[in-house]
mmCIF file of all heavy atoms in Angstrom:
data_model
loop_
_atom_site.group_PDB
_atom_site.id
_atom_site.type_symbol
_atom_site.label_atom_id
_atom_site.label_comp_id
_atom_site.label_asym_id
_atom_site.label_seq_id
_atom_site.Cartn_x
_atom_site.Cartn_y
_atom_site.Cartn_z
ATOM 1 N N ARG U 1 13.524 12.634 -2.659
ATOM 2 C CA ARG U 1 12.556 13.249 -1.736
ATOM 3 C C ARG U 1 11.671 12.154 -1.131
ATOM 4 O O ARG U 1 11.563 11.059 -1.689
ATOM 5 C CB ARG U 1 11.732 14.278 -2.503
ATOM 6 C CG ARG U 1 12.600 15.438 -2.985
ATOM 7 C CD ARG U 1 12.036 16.183 -4.168
ATOM 8 N NE ARG U 1 10.701 16.713 -3.963
ATOM 9 C CZ ARG U 1 9.969 17.256 -4.943
ATOM 10 N NH1 ARG U 1 10.446 17.352 -6.160
ATOM 11 N NH2 ARG U 1 8.766 17.714 -4.699
ATOM 12 N N TYR U 2 11.052 12.477 -0.006
ATOM 13 C CA TYR U 2 10.219 11.516 0.711
ATOM 14 C C TYR U 2 8.781 12.002 0.745
ATOM 15 O O TYR U 2 8.518 13.202 0.847
ATOM 16 C CB TYR U 2 10.747 11.289 2.130
ATOM 17 C CG TYR U 2 12.086 10.623 2.116
ATOM 18 C CD1 TYR U 2 13.258 11.373 2.092
ATOM 19 C CD2 TYR U 2 12.188 9.231 2.072
ATOM 20 C CE1 TYR U 2 14.498 10.756 2.036
ATOM 21 C CE2 TYR U 2 13.421 8.613 2.016
ATOM 22 C CZ TYR U 2 14.572 9.376 2.008
ATOM 23 O OH TYR U 2 15.799 8.777 1.947
ATOM 24 N N PHE U 3 7.850 11.040 0.693
ATOM 25 C CA PHE U 3 6.429 11.342 0.654
ATOM 26 C C PHE U 3 5.690 10.366 1.554
ATOM 27 O O PHE U 3 6.034 9.181 1.620
ATOM 28 C CB PHE U 3 5.890 11.210 -0.776
ATOM 29 C CG PHE U 3 6.593 12.124 -1.744
ATOM 30 C CD1 PHE U 3 7.780 11.735 -2.354
ATOM 31 C CD2 PHE U 3 6.084 13.374 -2.030
ATOM 32 C CE1 PHE U 3 8.446 12.572 -3.227
ATOM 33 C CE2 PHE U 3 6.745 14.224 -2.902
ATOM 34 C CZ PHE U 3 7.925 13.829 -3.502
ATOM 35 N N ILE U 4 4.676 10.873 2.246
ATOM 36 C CA ILE U 4 3.795 10.037 3.057
ATOM 37 C C ILE U 4 2.488 9.889 2.289
ATOM 38 O O ILE U 4 1.935 10.888 1.799
ATOM 39 C CB ILE U 4 3.498 10.686 4.427
ATOM 40 C CG1 ILE U 4 4.769 10.882 5.230
ATOM 41 C CG2 ILE U 4 2.466 9.884 5.208
ATOM 42 C CD1 ILE U 4 5.274 9.657 5.898
ATOM 43 N N VAL U 5 1.986 8.665 2.223
ATOM 44 C CA VAL U 5 0.688 8.414 1.604
ATOM 45 C C VAL U 5 -0.237 7.876 2.690
ATOM 46 O O VAL U 5 0.049 6.856 3.318
ATOM 47 C CB VAL U 5 0.798 7.415 0.439
ATOM 48 C CG1 VAL U 5 -0.587 7.097 -0.123
ATOM 49 C CG2 VAL U 5 1.709 7.972 -0.650
ATOM 50 N N PHE U 6 -1.332 8.597 2.896
ATOM 51 C CA PHE U 6 -2.386 8.153 3.803
ATOM 52 C C PHE U 6 -3.489 7.559 2.933
ATOM 53 O O PHE U 6 -4.025 8.245 2.057
ATOM 54 C CB PHE U 6 -2.948 9.325 4.614
ATOM 55 C CG PHE U 6 -1.930 9.975 5.501
ATOM 56 C CD1 PHE U 6 -1.312 11.143 5.125
ATOM 57 C CD2 PHE U 6 -1.593 9.405 6.718
ATOM 58 C CE1 PHE U 6 -0.371 11.758 5.944
ATOM 59 C CE2 PHE U 6 -0.647 10.004 7.541
ATOM 60 C CZ PHE U 6 -0.042 11.181 7.149
ATOM 61 N N ALA U 7 -3.809 6.287 3.147
ATOM 62 C CA ALA U 7 -4.786 5.586 2.316
ATOM 63 C C ALA U 7 -5.984 5.180 3.164
ATOM 64 O O ALA U 7 -5.922 4.201 3.918
ATOM 65 C CB ALA U 7 -4.146 4.378 1.648
ATOM 66 N N LYS U 8 -7.057 5.944 3.046
ATOM 67 C CA LYS U 8 -8.269 5.709 3.842
ATOM 68 C C LYS U 8 -9.083 4.554 3.272
ATOM 69 O O LYS U 8 -9.346 4.492 2.071
ATOM 70 C CB LYS U 8 -9.124 6.976 3.871
ATOM 71 C CG LYS U 8 -10.375 6.862 4.717
ATOM 72 C CD LYS U 8 -11.088 8.192 4.786
ATOM 73 C CE LYS U 8 -12.390 8.115 5.543
ATOM 74 N NZ LYS U 8 -12.278 7.672 6.899
ATOM 75 N N LEU U 9 -9.498 3.652 4.141
ATOM 76 C CA LEU U 9 -10.305 2.504 3.752
ATOM 77 C C LEU U 9 -11.742 2.955 3.494
ATOM 78 O O LEU U 9 -12.392 3.526 4.370
ATOM 79 C CB LEU U 9 -10.272 1.439 4.848
ATOM 80 C CG LEU U 9 -10.987 0.130 4.569
ATOM 81 C CD1 LEU U 9 -10.403 -0.563 3.347
ATOM 82 C CD2 LEU U 9 -10.883 -0.774 5.792
ATOM 83 N N LEU U 10 -12.230 2.710 2.282
ATOM 84 C CA LEU U 10 -13.582 3.114 1.895
ATOM 85 C C LEU U 10 -14.541 1.934 1.787
ATOM 86 O O LEU U 10 -15.734 2.085 2.052
ATOM 87 C CB LEU U 10 -13.545 3.840 0.540
ATOM 88 C CG LEU U 10 -12.663 5.079 0.453
ATOM 89 C CD1 LEU U 10 -12.634 5.590 -0.981
ATOM 90 C CD2 LEU U 10 -13.154 6.156 1.416
ATOM 91 N N LYS U 11 -14.034 0.786 1.352
ATOM 92 C CA LYS U 11 -14.874 -0.389 1.124
ATOM 93 C C LYS U 11 -14.257 -1.604 1.811
ATOM 94 O O LYS U 11 -13.652 -2.463 1.173
ATOM 95 C CB LYS U 11 -15.014 -0.650 -0.376
ATOM 96 C CG LYS U 11 -15.692 0.472 -1.128
ATOM 97 C CD LYS U 11 -15.734 0.157 -2.621
ATOM 98 C CE LYS U 11 -16.344 1.297 -3.399
ATOM 99 N NZ LYS U 11 -16.286 1.038 -4.857
ATOM 100 N N PRO U 12 -14.414 -1.689 3.141
ATOM 101 C CA PRO U 12 -13.760 -2.783 3.872
ATOM 102 C C PRO U 12 -14.215 -4.170 3.417
ATOM 103 O O PRO U 12 -13.439 -5.119 3.489
ATOM 104 C CB PRO U 12 -14.128 -2.521 5.333
ATOM 105 C CG PRO U 12 -15.276 -1.580 5.295
ATOM 106 C CD PRO U 12 -15.183 -0.813 4.028
ATOM 107 N N GLU U 13 -15.439 -4.282 2.928
ATOM 108 C CA GLU U 13 -15.940 -5.588 2.501
ATOM 109 C C GLU U 13 -15.200 -6.114 1.263
ATOM 110 O O GLU U 13 -15.168 -7.318 1.022
ATOM 111 C CB GLU U 13 -17.449 -5.518 2.222
ATOM 112 C CG GLU U 13 -17.856 -4.724 0.999
ATOM 113 C CD GLU U 13 -17.849 -3.199 1.157
ATOM 114 O OE1 GLU U 13 -17.558 -2.684 2.256
ATOM 115 O OE2 GLU U 13 -18.138 -2.526 0.159
ATOM 116 N N MET U 14 -14.588 -5.229 0.486
ATOM 117 C CA MET U 14 -13.859 -5.639 -0.721
ATOM 118 C C MET U 14 -12.370 -5.870 -0.476
ATOM 119 O O MET U 14 -11.690 -6.464 -1.311
ATOM 120 C CB MET U 14 -14.035 -4.589 -1.818
ATOM 121 C CG MET U 14 -15.438 -4.498 -2.372
ATOM 122 S SD MET U 14 -15.593 -3.218 -3.655
ATOM 123 C CE MET U 14 -14.408 -3.795 -4.877
ATOM 124 N N ALA U 15 -11.875 -5.402 0.652
ATOM 125 C CA ALA U 15 -10.428 -5.477 0.910
ATOM 126 C C ALA U 15 -9.874 -6.901 0.878
ATOM 127 O O ALA U 15 -8.820 -7.126 0.268
ATOM 128 C CB ALA U 15 -10.095 -4.774 2.224
ATOM 129 N N PRO U 16 -10.524 -7.877 1.491
ATOM 130 C CA PRO U 16 -9.933 -9.226 1.479
ATOM 131 C C PRO U 16 -9.735 -9.792 0.068
ATOM 132 O O PRO U 16 -8.767 -10.507 -0.184
ATOM 133 C CB PRO U 16 -10.934 -10.067 2.278
ATOM 134 C CG PRO U 16 -11.610 -9.083 3.170
ATOM 135 C CD PRO U 16 -11.718 -7.818 2.347
ATOM 136 N N THR U 17 -10.634 -9.457 -0.846
ATOM 137 C CA THR U 17 -10.536 -9.972 -2.209
ATOM 138 C C THR U 17 -9.306 -9.425 -2.932
ATOM 139 O O THR U 17 -8.628 -10.156 -3.663
ATOM 140 C CB THR U 17 -11.808 -9.590 -3.010
ATOM 141 O OG1 THR U 17 -12.940 -10.105 -2.315
ATOM 142 C CG2 THR U 17 -11.779 -10.150 -4.410
ATOM 143 N N MET U 18 -9.010 -8.151 -2.733
ATOM 144 C CA MET U 18 -7.910 -7.503 -3.445
ATOM 145 C C MET U 18 -6.617 -7.444 -2.639
ATOM 146 O O MET U 18 -5.599 -6.999 -3.152
ATOM 147 C CB MET U 18 -8.314 -6.085 -3.859
ATOM 148 C CG MET U 18 -9.423 -6.024 -4.899
ATOM 149 S SD MET U 18 -9.049 -6.942 -6.411
ATOM 150 C CE MET U 18 -7.609 -6.088 -7.000
ATOM 151 N N ALA U 19 -6.638 -7.892 -1.388
ATOM 152 C CA ALA U 19 -5.454 -7.805 -0.531
ATOM 153 C C ALA U 19 -4.227 -8.494 -1.128
ATOM 154 O O ALA U 19 -3.126 -7.930 -1.077
ATOM 155 C CB ALA U 19 -5.762 -8.329 0.870
ATOM 156 N N PRO U 20 -4.343 -9.691 -1.719
ATOM 157 C CA PRO U 20 -3.137 -10.314 -2.285
ATOM 158 C C PRO U 20 -2.506 -9.470 -3.403
ATOM 159 O O PRO U 20 -1.275 -9.319 -3.447
ATOM 160 C CB PRO U 20 -3.644 -11.658 -2.808
ATOM 161 C CG PRO U 20 -4.837 -11.973 -1.953
ATOM 162 C CD PRO U 20 -5.490 -10.629 -1.733
ATOM 163 N N ALA U 21 -3.321 -8.897 -4.282
ATOM 164 C CA ALA U 21 -2.784 -8.060 -5.366
ATOM 165 C C ALA U 21 -2.178 -6.778 -4.802
ATOM 166 O O ALA U 21 -1.108 -6.338 -5.245
ATOM 167 C CB ALA U 21 -3.888 -7.728 -6.377
ATOM 168 N N HIS U 22 -2.836 -6.189 -3.821
ATOM 169 C CA HIS U 22 -2.316 -4.979 -3.180
ATOM 170 C C HIS U 22 -0.973 -5.265 -2.527
ATOM 171 O O HIS U 22 -0.008 -4.513 -2.715
ATOM 172 C CB HIS U 22 -3.317 -4.456 -2.145
ATOM 173 C CG HIS U 22 -2.740 -3.479 -1.182
ATOM 174 N ND1 HIS U 22 -2.417 -2.187 -1.538
ATOM 175 C CD2 HIS U 22 -2.411 -3.603 0.124
ATOM 176 C CE1 HIS U 22 -1.916 -1.550 -0.481
ATOM 177 N NE2 HIS U 22 -1.895 -2.395 0.535
ATOM 178 N N MET U 23 -0.884 -6.349 -1.773
ATOM 179 C CA MET U 23 0.364 -6.665 -1.083
ATOM 180 C C MET U 23 1.482 -6.988 -2.073
ATOM 181 O O MET U 23 2.625 -6.579 -1.865
ATOM 182 C CB MET U 23 0.160 -7.823 -0.104
ATOM 183 C CG MET U 23 -0.600 -7.419 1.151
ATOM 184 S SD MET U 23 0.119 -5.991 2.010
ATOM 185 C CE MET U 23 1.759 -6.570 2.369
ATOM 186 N N ALA U 24 1.171 -7.690 -3.150
ATOM 187 C CA ALA U 24 2.195 -7.985 -4.162
ATOM 188 C C ALA U 24 2.729 -6.682 -4.759
ATOM 189 O O ALA U 24 3.941 -6.534 -4.968
ATOM 190 C CB ALA U 24 1.616 -8.878 -5.251
ATOM 191 N N TYR U 25 1.834 -5.738 -5.004
ATOM 192 C CA TYR U 25 2.247 -4.448 -5.563
ATOM 193 C C TYR U 25 3.141 -3.695 -4.582
ATOM 194 O O TYR U 25 4.208 -3.187 -4.953
ATOM 195 C CB TYR U 25 1.011 -3.620 -5.924
ATOM 196 C CG TYR U 25 1.337 -2.316 -6.593
ATOM 197 C CD1 TYR U 25 1.870 -2.281 -7.877
ATOM 198 C CD2 TYR U 25 1.119 -1.105 -5.945
ATOM 199 C CE1 TYR U 25 2.183 -1.082 -8.505
ATOM 200 C CE2 TYR U 25 1.417 0.098 -6.560
ATOM 201 C CZ TYR U 25 1.953 0.103 -7.835
ATOM 202 O OH TYR U 25 2.255 1.291 -8.443
ATOM 203 N N MET U 26 2.732 -3.631 -3.321
ATOM 204 C CA MET U 26 3.509 -2.910 -2.317
ATOM 205 C C MET U 26 4.864 -3.586 -2.076
ATOM 206 O O MET U 26 5.876 -2.901 -1.902
ATOM 207 C CB MET U 26 2.723 -2.787 -1.007
ATOM 208 C CG MET U 26 1.452 -1.960 -1.117
ATOM 209 S SD MET U 26 1.713 -0.289 -1.760
ATOM 210 C CE MET U 26 2.651 0.453 -0.434
ATOM 211 N N ILE U 27 4.899 -4.901 -2.051
ATOM 212 C CA ILE U 27 6.169 -5.612 -1.863
ATOM 213 C C ILE U 27 7.108 -5.327 -3.027
ATOM 214 O O ILE U 27 8.311 -5.106 -2.823
ATOM 215 C CB ILE U 27 5.924 -7.118 -1.667
ATOM 216 C CG1 ILE U 27 5.288 -7.357 -0.289
ATOM 217 C CG2 ILE U 27 7.223 -7.918 -1.816
ATOM 218 C CD1 ILE U 27 4.732 -8.749 -0.089
ATOM 219 N N ALA U 28 6.588 -5.290 -4.247
ATOM 220 C CA ALA U 28 7.429 -4.977 -5.410
ATOM 221 C C ALA U 28 8.007 -3.568 -5.295
ATOM 222 O O ALA U 28 9.195 -3.354 -5.581
ATOM 223 C CB ALA U 28 6.621 -5.123 -6.700
ATOM 224 N N LEU U 29 7.198 -2.603 -4.846
ATOM 225 C CA LEU U 29 7.698 -1.238 -4.658
ATOM 226 C C LEU U 29 8.731 -1.182 -3.539
ATOM 227 O O LEU U 29 9.722 -0.460 -3.634
ATOM 228 C CB LEU U 29 6.546 -0.279 -4.360
ATOM 229 C CG LEU U 29 5.573 -0.001 -5.509
ATOM 230 C CD1 LEU U 29 4.429 0.889 -5.026
ATOM 231 C CD2 LEU U 29 6.277 0.634 -6.696
ATOM 232 N N ARG U 30 8.502 -1.963 -2.492
ATOM 233 C CA ARG U 30 9.469 -2.007 -1.382
ATOM 234 C C ARG U 30 10.785 -2.622 -1.838
ATOM 235 O O ARG U 30 11.863 -2.104 -1.544
ATOM 236 C CB ARG U 30 8.865 -2.782 -0.212
ATOM 237 C CG ARG U 30 9.635 -2.605 1.075
ATOM 238 C CD ARG U 30 8.984 -3.328 2.232
ATOM 239 N NE ARG U 30 9.044 -4.754 2.035
ATOM 240 C CZ ARG U 30 8.069 -5.597 2.352
ATOM 241 N NH1 ARG U 30 6.940 -5.167 2.866
ATOM 242 N NH2 ARG U 30 8.206 -6.889 2.143
ATOM 243 N N GLU U 31 10.714 -3.707 -2.580
ATOM 244 C CA GLU U 31 11.928 -4.365 -3.064
ATOM 245 C C GLU U 31 12.699 -3.483 -4.036
ATOM 246 O O GLU U 31 13.927 -3.562 -4.103
ATOM 247 C CB GLU U 31 11.582 -5.713 -3.690
ATOM 248 C CG GLU U 31 11.171 -6.741 -2.647
ATOM 249 C CD GLU U 31 10.705 -8.053 -3.235
ATOM 250 O OE1 GLU U 31 10.501 -8.146 -4.466
ATOM 251 O OE2 GLU U 31 10.525 -9.002 -2.444
ATOM 252 N N ALA U 32 11.996 -2.613 -4.757
ATOM 253 C CA ALA U 32 12.641 -1.675 -5.681
ATOM 254 C C ALA U 32 13.232 -0.470 -4.952
ATOM 255 O O ALA U 32 13.950 0.324 -5.550
ATOM 256 C CB ALA U 32 11.632 -1.199 -6.725
ATOM 257 N N GLY U 33 12.921 -0.325 -3.653
ATOM 258 C CA GLY U 33 13.422 0.799 -2.875
ATOM 259 C C GLY U 33 12.578 2.049 -2.999
ATOM 260 O O GLY U 33 12.934 3.097 -2.457
ATOM 261 N N THR U 34 11.453 1.957 -3.680
ATOM 262 C CA THR U 34 10.566 3.113 -3.849
ATOM 263 C C THR U 34 9.716 3.334 -2.606
ATOM 264 O O THR U 34 9.491 4.471 -2.201
ATOM 265 C CB THR U 34 9.662 2.907 -5.085
ATOM 266 O OG1 THR U 34 10.494 2.686 -6.219
ATOM 267 C CG2 THR U 34 8.775 4.098 -5.330
ATOM 268 N N VAL U 35 9.228 2.260 -2.019
ATOM 269 C CA VAL U 35 8.506 2.323 -0.750
ATOM 270 C C VAL U 35 9.468 1.832 0.316
ATOM 271 O O VAL U 35 10.010 0.729 0.209
ATOM 272 C CB VAL U 35 7.219 1.475 -0.780
ATOM 273 C CG1 VAL U 35 6.618 1.329 0.605
ATOM 274 C CG2 VAL U 35 6.193 2.090 -1.730
ATOM 275 N N ILE U 36 9.692 2.668 1.326
ATOM 276 C CA ILE U 36 10.647 2.264 2.369
ATOM 277 C C ILE U 36 9.954 1.751 3.621
ATOM 278 O O ILE U 36 10.595 1.143 4.476
ATOM 279 C CB ILE U 36 11.644 3.392 2.710
ATOM 280 C CG1 ILE U 36 10.933 4.627 3.247
ATOM 281 C CG2 ILE U 36 12.475 3.732 1.479
ATOM 282 C CD1 ILE U 36 11.888 5.656 3.825
ATOM 283 N N ALA U 37 8.647 1.983 3.729
ATOM 284 C CA ALA U 37 7.862 1.461 4.849
ATOM 285 C C ALA U 37 6.392 1.539 4.469
ATOM 286 O O ALA U 37 5.983 2.454 3.756
ATOM 287 C CB ALA U 37 8.116 2.265 6.120
ATOM 288 N N HIS U 38 5.625 0.576 4.925
ATOM 289 C CA HIS U 38 4.179 0.614 4.695
ATOM 290 C C HIS U 38 3.492 -0.326 5.673
ATOM 291 O O HIS U 38 4.118 -1.230 6.223
ATOM 292 C CB HIS U 38 3.830 0.242 3.244
ATOM 293 C CG HIS U 38 4.151 -1.172 2.883
ATOM 294 N ND1 HIS U 38 3.236 -2.187 2.968
ATOM 295 C CD2 HIS U 38 5.297 -1.744 2.435
ATOM 296 C CE1 HIS U 38 3.792 -3.322 2.574
ATOM 297 N NE2 HIS U 38 5.063 -3.073 2.254
ATOM 298 N N GLY U 39 2.216 -0.101 5.879
ATOM 299 C CA GLY U 39 1.441 -0.988 6.740
ATOM 300 C C GLY U 39 0.067 -0.430 7.027
ATOM 301 O O GLY U 39 -0.202 0.754 6.817
ATOM 302 N N ARG U 40 -0.794 -1.318 7.493
ATOM 303 C CA ARG U 40 -2.161 -0.905 7.827
ATOM 304 C C ARG U 40 -2.186 -0.288 9.217
ATOM 305 O O ARG U 40 -1.335 -0.606 10.072
ATOM 306 C CB ARG U 40 -3.118 -2.082 7.735
ATOM 307 C CG ARG U 40 -2.875 -3.162 8.756
ATOM 308 C CD ARG U 40 -3.799 -4.354 8.519
ATOM 309 N NE ARG U 40 -3.493 -5.410 9.456
ATOM 310 C CZ ARG U 40 -4.100 -5.589 10.628
ATOM 311 N NH1 ARG U 40 -5.064 -4.762 10.995
ATOM 312 N NH2 ARG U 40 -3.746 -6.559 11.431
#
């Protein structure tokens, strides 16, 4: 089955600090085939 996730930005000032960890997580899910598309 397919699911859409809408992720609303709540704390933009904190995003740059956690962006590398977030992107590593999303890339791992994409490489596993669990996430088929994502982006800001």
